[in-house]
């Protein structure tokens, strides 16, 4: 397995491989066993045998096809809205001479700080058929508000606008990678702005754009937050929410782990198909795209008379999708009972909801749990993926074993969160490690989910460091571990810092995994928000949302505060 | 002393392995510069990295002085950090997160040395490479030449007597390259270093080596002292690689044996040279274009080592002129000093300096 006698490295490799198998493969295997072994009132592993009853139930039930259809419509609709907005803003901000570019840029990214649950809460109140700000305002002008937010369409609208800012980052990244000389060549050949865009820029961008679309389709297929919150009231279920409700039935019924597992495997298959498509597109995209020297800014397209209409359109979109929900969130958090915004209503504003949050005796425990859970997730995810990245990029392990480890670590990218949730429930019901019902099982499940992203990011960072920098250290008399500590670790610090922030944010935002694994003693922020929503305590819910958004905004701006001396490495 | 014996190394995945080094042996004497010279892909860098310990050979033995650092037979493979070798990489490999002093002090840190001792040795190493006073500069803010010097200082700070240099001058501009070449030679002499040097630049190899080994396809084609290798190469490959050369098709007596002197008849005239076996198809006469003198006066057709032809092209290169002459189907290049410039179309006669010609005879004829 190892090239030259370096027993310590091969022991480390075996340990890391074992841990990754334990985190990634064991739950999946348990899930597969559960899908053929658990039936009706029986938990998996309670009796021997293989049954196909769950698959028959799933395949015969017309509801399954309804779920598939809902999931597909939801994913396609949300992706079209989200990517459409992202492409518009990316083109406007990255490639044209639109004024107020910085303002637009920051405004587009603001929703990243708002957890999807909170964003959905805000919209549900804005568009509430009876008291919602929008219908009521329109009614004052005699305009009826014809659509209901409590519908599949409403879910699509909320999810689509929520993912626009994440999609913006990917689309803008792809746009920035297009070699500007290709466009300049077209201009030299006498083609105008419009022709260059249609005949050069967009065709070059197409594979990358398609990869982004597939990526977000995958995100939407597996997401739980928005369909969970809106769908509950709207009576619309998609695959991910159905799996959750099967394992958390209302009215004292027994959870149906068998059917849930079979559905979960269906979801895994869909996700794996999408991820295969995504990888293929990514590979095609790379052939087209050349990374140009950093710091180079291609000349911008002059908008001329289109400047004003486009600016109005952009600001209008941002007011609707960012400013309005944010305003609603803050406004509602300051009111015990909802009042239509007016000068008179200002007198009623108070911080009572915030005070209630502070006075809530469980709140301290929730905060402590959230911190413990997210820090533990960061520690497990980062140490494992840093080791995987090192072992798969530079270590003296043979190539085939390195490839196996990398594939294994990247697998969770294709496993939906709700599936990881149910797989961990089923695994730790049986495994005699006493972490069931604690924050540690949540942290472990989240680590499984996030290890794919951090491994990919740290591997990319490793590949940017010339191997000679490590070889020079070996030649200077340092061994592999001293080399890691004195050369690699300092050089990887920016990438590691970025990953820490990313994992922290995701761990705090993540809902469905925590929801499936928490117990009354291991409540975290996201499950608390879910509870407040189910109990309808809107003012506290919105106050908590404001606080979370502020915390996340602080975390998001951390990478920009990195010390100057780390700036030489592209992050 | 570096002794490399019968080292073989294959590269690539398990399925398709190709030999990067094939049964290579050589010895670098103490206090000398030994150069592995060859085009890219000839295996010279892989060989150097095997000596360093960064790459592990498949077979063979490598010893540094009395220490065997690698031996397939005895199952010895010392990791690079325990071989006590200084090395300068082609890219310099300066750590961007450290200062100049941090880079140079790196090999000394963590060994329980006093701070003052480290500082003093770093300063001494920096002085050796002419960088005194730059200790506190951030490494990324250095010019290419300065980075090169930092890499050199880092390689010598631990006072290892063996130094490996992997194309250290190839990233410098021409003027700086010349200067650094002089400094390298001076430093090597001053410290008595044993140097294994890798380059693809034959001029560089000629200028600073005590011995040169020409490499091709993972094997040493020929090794020798620089001047002998340049003037009297015993293989066509190194003759061509070491510099501008004429290879004129010729006829030789069929009983000519390698090592003997023989007369070769070319379209320009008959020349005497030493016979060498080659892998070519036909016998060829080799000589360097500058090893001739123009003759004036009457042409004596019978005289050996003289030739005649018609000038077909002339380029003025400053110090010398590059003259192409033709005779029938054959052409040859001559390098003439600026004082004597023939015109295109002119008939000229020349004499080849004695002892400067080699005759490469196909092996099957020679045997």
């Amino acid at each position: 397995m190892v090239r030259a006698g370096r027993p310590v490295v091969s022991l480390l490799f075996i340990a890391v491989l074992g841990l990754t198998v334990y985190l990634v493969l064991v739950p999946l295997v348990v899930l597969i066993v559960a899908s053929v072994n658990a039936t009706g009132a029986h938990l998996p592993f309670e009796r021997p045998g293989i049954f196909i009853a769950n698959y028959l139930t799933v395949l015969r039930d017309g509801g399954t096809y309804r779920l598939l259809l809902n999931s597909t419509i939801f994913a396609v609709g949300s992706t079209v809205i989200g990517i459409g907005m992202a492409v518009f803003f990316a083109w406007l901000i990255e490639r044209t001479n639109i004024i107020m570019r910085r303002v637009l840029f920051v405004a587009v990214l603001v929703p990243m700080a708002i957890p999807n649950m909170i964003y959905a809460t805000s919209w549900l109140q804005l568009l509430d058929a009876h008291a919602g700000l929008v219908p009521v305002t329109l009614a004052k002008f005699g305009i009826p508000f014809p659509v209901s937010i409590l519908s599949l369409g409403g879910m699509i609208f909320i999810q689509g606008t929520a993912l626009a800012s994440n999609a913006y980052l990917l689309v803008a990244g792809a746009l920035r990678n297009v070699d500007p000389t290709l466009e300049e060549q077209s201009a030299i050949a006498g083609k105008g702005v419009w022709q260059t865009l249609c005949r050069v820029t967009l065709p070059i961008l197409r594979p990358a754009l398609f990869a982004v679309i597939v990526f977000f389709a995958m995100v939407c297929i597996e997401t739980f937050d928005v369909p969970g919150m809106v769908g509950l009231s709207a009576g619309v279920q998609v695959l991910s929410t159905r799996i959750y409700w099967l394992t958390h039935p209302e009215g004292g019924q027994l959870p149906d782990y068998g059917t849930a597992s079979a559905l979960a495997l269906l979801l895994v298959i869909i996700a794996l198909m999408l991820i295969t498509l995504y990888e293929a597109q990514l590979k095609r995209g790379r052939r087209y795209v050349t990374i140009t020297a950093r710091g180079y800014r291609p000349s911008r397209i002059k908008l001329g008379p289109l400047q004003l209409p486009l600016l109005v359109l952009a600001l209008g979109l941002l007011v609707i999708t960012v400013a309005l929900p944010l305003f609603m969130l803050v406004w509602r958090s300051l009111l015990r009972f909802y009042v239509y915004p007016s000068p008179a209503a200002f007198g009623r504003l108070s911080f009572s909801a915030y005070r209630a949050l502070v006075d809530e005796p469980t709140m301290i425990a929730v905060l402590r749990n959230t911190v413990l859970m997210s820090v533990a997730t960061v520690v497990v995810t980062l140490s494992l993926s840093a080791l995987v990245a090192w072992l798969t990029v530079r270590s003296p392990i043979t190539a085939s074993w390195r490839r196996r480890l990398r594939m294994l670590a990247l697998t969770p990218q294709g496993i939906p969160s709700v599936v990881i949730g149910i797989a961990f429930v089923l695994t730790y019901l049986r495994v005699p490690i006493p972490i069931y019902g604690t924050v540690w099982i949540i942290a472990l499940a989240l680590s499984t989910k996030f290890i794919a992203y951090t491994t990919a990011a740290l591997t990319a960072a490793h590949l940017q460091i010339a191997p000679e920098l490590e070889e020079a250290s070996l030649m200077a008399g340092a061994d592999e571990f001293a080399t890691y500590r004195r050369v690699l670790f300092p050089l990887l610090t920016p990438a590691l810092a970025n990953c820490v922030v990313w994992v922290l944010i995701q761990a705090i935002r993540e809902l469905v995994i925590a929801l499936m694994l928490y117990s009354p003693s291991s409540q975290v922020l996201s499950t608390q928000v879910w509870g407040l929503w189910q109990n309808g305590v809107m003012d506290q819910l919105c106050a908590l949302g404001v606080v979370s958004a502020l915390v996340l905004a602080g975390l998001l701006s951390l990478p920009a505060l990195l010390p100057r001396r780390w700036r030489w490495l592209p992050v | 002393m570096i002794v490399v014996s019968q080292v073989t190394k294959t590269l690539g995945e398990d399925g398709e392995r190709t030999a990067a080094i094939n049964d290579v042996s050589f010895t670098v004497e103490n206090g000398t510069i030994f150069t592995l010279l060859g085009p890219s892909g000839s295996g010279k860098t892989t060989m150097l990295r095997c000596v360093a310990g960064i790459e592990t050979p498949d077979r063979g033995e490598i010893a540094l002085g009395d220490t065997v650092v690698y031996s397939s037979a005895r199952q010895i493979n010392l990791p690079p950090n325990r071989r006590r070798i200084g090395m300068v990489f082609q890219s310099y490999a300066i750590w961007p997160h450290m200062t100049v002093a941090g880079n140079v002090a790196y090999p000394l840190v963590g060994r329980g040395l006093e701070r003052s001792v480290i500082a003093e040795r770093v300063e001494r190493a920096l002085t050796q490479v002419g960088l005194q006073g730059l200790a506190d500069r951030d490494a990324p803010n250095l010019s290419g030449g300065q980075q090169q010097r930092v890499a050199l200082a880092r390689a010598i700070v631990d006072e290892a007597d063996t130094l490996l240099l992997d194309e250290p001058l190839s990233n410098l501009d021409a003027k700086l390259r010349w200067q650094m070449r002089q400094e390298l030679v001076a430093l090597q002499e001053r410290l008595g270093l044993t140097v294994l040097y890798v380059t693809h630049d034959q001029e560089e190899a000629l200028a600073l080596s005590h011995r040169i080994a020409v490499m091709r396809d993972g094997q040493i084609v020929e090794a020798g002292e620089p001047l002998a290798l340049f003037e009297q190469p015993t293989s066509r490959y190194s003759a061509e690689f070491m510099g501008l050369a004429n290879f004129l098709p010729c006829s030789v007596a069929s009983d000519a044996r390698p090592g003997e002197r023989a007369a070769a008849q070319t379209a320009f005239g008959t020349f005497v040279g030493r016979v060498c076996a080659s892998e070519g198809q036909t016998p060829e006469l080799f000589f360097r274009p500058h090893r001739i003198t123009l003759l004036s006066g009457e042409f004596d057709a019978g005289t050996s080592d003289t030739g005649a032809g018609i000038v077909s092209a002339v380029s003025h290169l400053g110090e010398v002129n590059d003259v192409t002459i033709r005779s029938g189907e054959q052409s040859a290049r001559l390098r003439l000093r600026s004082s004597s410039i023939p015109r295109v179309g002119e008939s000229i006669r020349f004499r080849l300096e004695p002892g400067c010609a080699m005759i490469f005879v196909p092996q099957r004829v020679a045997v």
Side-chain angles (χ1 to χ4, degrees):
Chain A
M1 193 187 283
V2 179
R3 280 203 298 268
R6 285 171 182 151
V8 185
V9 175
S10 46
L11 277 179
L12 184 69
F13 182 82
I14 291 165
V16 169
L17 188 66
L19 201 58
T20 317
V21 166
Y22 177 71
L23 273 185
V24 177
L25 275 194
V26 169
L28 268 187
V29 170
V30 169
L31 184 72
I32 292 169
V33 171
S35 73
V36 296
N37 188 262
T39 46
H42 290 277
L43 283 173
F45 302 105
E46 272 192 356
R47 63 207 167 120
I50 291 177
F51 311 98
I52 54 164
N54 297 320
Y55 289 99
L56 290 180
T57 311
V58 164
L59 290 176
R60 280 196 195 132
D61 183 4
T64 306
Y65 303 101
R66 182 74 228 168
L67 285 176
L68 269 174
L69 188 66
N70 279 352
S71 272
T72 310
I73 295 173
F74 175 69
V76 170
S78 314
T79 309
V80 166
I81 292 177
I83 305 272
M85 282 176 62
V87 168
F88 171 69
F89 280 113
W91 177 75
L92 204 62
I93 295 171
E94 295 291 329
R95 277 292 151 94
T96 73
N97 66 340
I98 191 88
I99 54 168
M100 297 169 66
R101 197 182 302 125
R102 288 300 302 176
V103 175
L104 292 178
F105 177 75
V106 172
V108 167
L109 294 184
V110 161
M112 293 188 77
I114 311 171
N116 282 359
M117 272 185 291
I118 304 293
Y119 190 70
T121 310
S122 206
W123 272 112
L124 288 172
Q125 294 174 79
L126 276 169
L127 298 186
D128 184 86
H130 305 295
L133 177 61
V134 175
V136 169
T137 309
L138 288 177
K140 288 189 178 178
F141 296 98
I143 308 166
F145 190 71
V147 294
S148 165
I149 189 73
L150 294 174
S151 63
L152 190 55
M155 279 157 62
I156 290 172
F157 172 75
I158 296 173
Q159 178 71 20
T161 49
L163 63 79
S165 49
N166 267 316
Y168 170 85
L169 285 182
L170 292 192
V171 173
L175 205 57
R176 255 178 254 144
N177 281 351
V178 175
D179 186 345
T181 56
L182 296 175
E183 292 179 321
E184 282 157 16
Q185 198 60 51
S186 163
I188 289 164
K191 306 287 177 238
V193 167
W194 182 246
Q195 267 190 312
T196 301
L197 184 70
C198 292
R199 292 178 57 184
V200 178
T201 316
L202 283 179
I204 292 172
L205 212 55
R206 200 164 52 204
L209 209 54
F210 193 69
V212 175
I213 289 171
V214 175
F215 179 81
F216 282 104
M218 199 164 67
V219 168
C220 293
I221 284 278
E222 73 148 313
T223 194
F224 176 83
D225 307 28
V226 174
M229 297 195 81
V230 183
L232 185 60
S233 315
V236 180
Q237 287 194 344
V238 294
L239 269 173
S240 58
T241 53
R242 175 76 184 147
I243 293 168
Y244 174 76
W245 290 117
L246 275 172
T247 57
H248 293 76
E250 298 194 305
Q253 282 176 296
L254 282 175
D256 183 355
Y257 286 115
T259 312
S261 304
L263 271 182
L265 281 178
L266 182 65
L267 193 51
V268 171
I269 289 166
I270 294 171
L272 284 181
M273 274 168 15
L274 284 172
I275 206 166
T276 313
L277 194 61
Y278 171 69
E279 296 286 334
Q281 283 303 316
L282 216 54
K283 219 171 269 174
R284 260 188 71 203
R286 281 202 198 104
R287 269 197 324 216
Y288 279 49
V289 164
T290 51
I291 313 261
T292 51
R294 275 196 306 141
Y296 183 82
R297 281 280 166 273
S299 54
R300 293 180 178 279
I301 294 161
K302 308 234 179 326
L303 289 174
L306 282 175
Q307 179 86 245
L308 198 63
L310 282 173
L311 185 67
V312 168
L313 179 59
L315 289 176
L317 269 174
L318 287 172
V319 163
I320 292 173
T321 63
V322 182
L324 208 53
L326 266 183
F327 165 77
M328 192 62 209
L329 195 61
V330 176
W331 180 258
R332 189 65 186 85
S333 76
L334 296 172
L335 284 166
R336 186 82 183 83
F337 299 101
Y338 176 72
V339 185
Y340 186 82
S342 67
F346 271 93
R348 303 206 193 177
L349 298 184
S350 78
F351 284 101
S352 65
Y354 293 88
R355 218 168 292 128
L357 280 180
V358 177
D359 292 341
E360 177 81 44
T362 57
M363 207 56 211
I364 300 293
V366 167
L367 284 180
R368 197 196 55 221
N369 284 342
T370 307
V371 169
L372 280 181
M373 179 272 296
S374 48
V375 169
T377 307
V378 166
V379 169
V380 174
T381 311
L382 264 290
S383 36
L384 195 57
S385 53
L387 280 170
V388 169
W390 181 70
L391 286 166
T392 55
V393 175
R394 292 287 157 67
S395 75
I397 308 290
T398 51
S400 53
W401 278 99
R402 283 186 284 166
R403 202 163 39 237
R404 272 169 215 151
L405 178 60
R406 186 169 52 236
M407 290 306 293
L408 194 61
L410 294 180
T411 302
Q413 186 75 60
I415 311 179
S417 298
V418 65
V419 177
I420 288 183
I422 184 172
F424 266 74
V425 168
L426 293 170
T427 307
Y428 286 88
L429 277 174
R430 291 274 140 187
V431 172
I433 300 174
I435 60 170
Y436 199 82
T438 68
V439 290
W440 310 119
I441 189 174
I442 302 177
L444 218 51
L446 289 179
S447 303
T448 304
K449 176 70 188 166
F450 299 149
I451 191 182
Y453 174 87
T454 50
T455 300
L458 291 177
T459 303
H462 258 280
L463 289 173
Q464 282 181 331
I465 298 172
E468 290 98 320
L469 293 177
E470 286 159 76
E471 288 163 6
S473 166
L474 292 174
M475 295 310 295
D479 63 18
E480 267 106 352
F481 299 101
T483 299
Y484 195 95
R485 187 169 51 81
R486 292 171 65 189
V487 174
L488 267 179
F489 187 77
L491 292 178
L492 284 173
T493 309
L496 285 167
N498 261 7
C499 282
V500 167
V501 170
W502 186 88
V503 172
L504 271 180
I505 290 170
Q506 299 299 320
I508 294 170
R509 287 181 62 147
E510 167 63 44
L511 170 64
V512 67
I513 288 179
L515 209 50
M516 295 185 93
L517 294 170
Y518 87 99
S519 70
S521 66
S522 63
Q523 284 259 24
V524 291
L525 215 51
S526 59
T527 59
Q528 184 79 3
V529 168
W530 177 260
L532 288 171
W533 164 250
Q534 288 210 306
N535 296 331
V537 193
M538 295 311 285
D539 58 335
Q540 286 190 36
L541 171 55
C542 290
L544 204 51
V546 170
V547 173
S548 323
L550 288 176
V551 170
L552 290 177
L555 285 172
L556 278 165
S557 50
L558 268 186
L561 303 174
L562 277 182
R564 255 193 83 75
R565 60 192 215 87
W566 288 346
R567 292 283 163 78
W568 39 260
L569 227 184
V571 181
Chain B
M1 193 157 80
I2 306 171
V3 183
V4 172
S5 332
Q6 298 178 313
V7 165
T8 295
K9 160 88 183 157
T10 53
L11 290 178
E13 286 292 294
D14 301 324
E16 38 191 292
R17 300 192 77 91
T18 49
I21 313 171
N22 197 355
D23 198 26
V24 167
S25 304
F26 61 87
T27 300
V28 184
E29 299 294 341
N30 277 336
T32 65
I33 301 181
F34 186 98
T35 297
L36 294 171
L37 174 67
S40 59
S42 60
K44 55 192 193 308
T45 295
T46 308
M47 186 64 246
L48 184 90
R49 289 164 66 85
C50 284
V51 174
I54 299 167
E55 304 268 3
T56 305
D58 301 339
R59 277 191 304 283
E61 190 169 295
I62 300 170
L64 300 174
D66 298 330
T67 317
V68 175
V69 292
Y70 171 78
S71 167
S72 54
R74 290 157 62 190
Q75 302 234 323
I76 296 172
N77 185 16
L78 232 53
N81 45 315
R82 288 172 54 201
R83 292 192 182 189
R84 260 186 73 84
I85 303 176
M87 180 160 170
V88 175
F89 290 81
Q90 184 173 7
S91 61
Y92 314 140
I94 301 299
W95 299 303
H97 59 296
M98 297 178 187
T99 60
V100 168
N103 267 280
V104 177
Y106 189 95
L108 306 175
V109 171
R111 293 218 225 127
L113 293 172
E114 296 259 343
R115 260 167 183 268
S116 58
V117 175
I118 292 178
E120 191 247 330
R121 282 174 67 177
V122 166
E123 194 52 42
R124 203 191 316 154
L126 284 175
T127 309
Q128 290 283 8
V129 298
L131 278 186
Q132 49 276 58
L134 285 185
D136 297 325
R137 189 82 73 84
D138 274 340
N141 303 335
L142 296 174
S143 70
Q146 286 170 327
Q147 291 199 15
Q148 157 89 75
R149 287 162 201 263
V150 174
L152 205 54
R154 183 175 66 189
I156 60 170
V157 73
D158 196 21
E159 288 160 11
D161 43 21
T162 308
L163 196 58
L164 307 181
L165 303 174
D166 184 8
E167 307 238 10
L169 306 181
S170 63
N171 289 338
L172 302 177
D173 63 54
K175 204 174 151 196
L176 197 56
R177 201 181 308 156
W178 185 85
Q179 188 192 342
M180 281 307 294
R181 194 197 287 162
Q182 310 296 311
E183 290 186 21
L184 261 181
V185 172
L187 186 76
Q188 181 268 334
E189 280 176 6
R190 202 159 61 234
L191 303 177
L193 297 169
T194 305
V195 176
L196 182 58
Y197 192 100
V198 159
T199 183
H200 65 272
D201 182 338
Q202 89 284 355
E203 203 179 291
E204 199 173 293
L206 287 169
L208 51 67
S209 316
H210 295 97
R211 261 181 97 75
I212 297 173
V214 180
M215 288 195 74
R216 176 172 66 160
D217 297 340
Q219 286 179 307
I220 291 181
V221 178
E222 189 177 357
E225 288 176 13
L227 216 57
L229 213 55
F230 182 74
E231 299 287 359
Q232 281 135 15
T234 59
S235 84
R236 192 190 189 282
Y237 180 80
S238 48
E240 198 172 358
F241 195 81
M242 294 298 293
L244 206 56
N246 285 303
F247 294 99
L248 305 178
C250 64
S251 55
V252 196
S254 59
D255 60 349
R257 297 196 173 280
E260 292 174 353
R261 299 181 71 76
Q265 276 186 301
T266 71
F268 298 100
T270 303
F271 304 92
V272 172
R274 195 150 63 91
V275 177
C276 284
S278 91
E279 60 261 48
Q281 295 296 312
T282 54
E284 285 172 315
L285 175 83
F286 154 83
F287 65 90
R288 299 272 176 216
H290 67 283
R291 285 298 183 187
I292 59 114
T293 37
L294 277 192
L295 297 176
S296 49
E298 279 304 294
F299 177 56
D300 187 352
T303 312
S304 176
D305 283 350
T306 61
I310 296 163
V311 175
S312 63
V314 177
S315 332
H316 307 287
L317 303 178
E319 291 164 38
V320 294
N321 298 289
D322 190 283
V323 177
T324 307
I325 57 168
R326 301 191 73 85
S327 178
E329 290 292 292
Q330 292 189 12
S331 69
R333 283 172 76 180
L334 310 175
R335 282 272 161 103
L336 301 171
R337 303 231 60 86
S338 297
S339 53
S340 48
I341 312 167
R343 289 207 189 88
V344 173
E346 198 179 325
S347 279
I348 58 160
R349 297 190 297 116
F350 61 91
R351 178 191 296 281
L352 186 60
E353 289 172 30
C356 291
M358 308 291 286
I359 302 165
F360 291 114
V361 177
Q363 243 146 5
R364 56 188 156 78
V365 180
V367 171

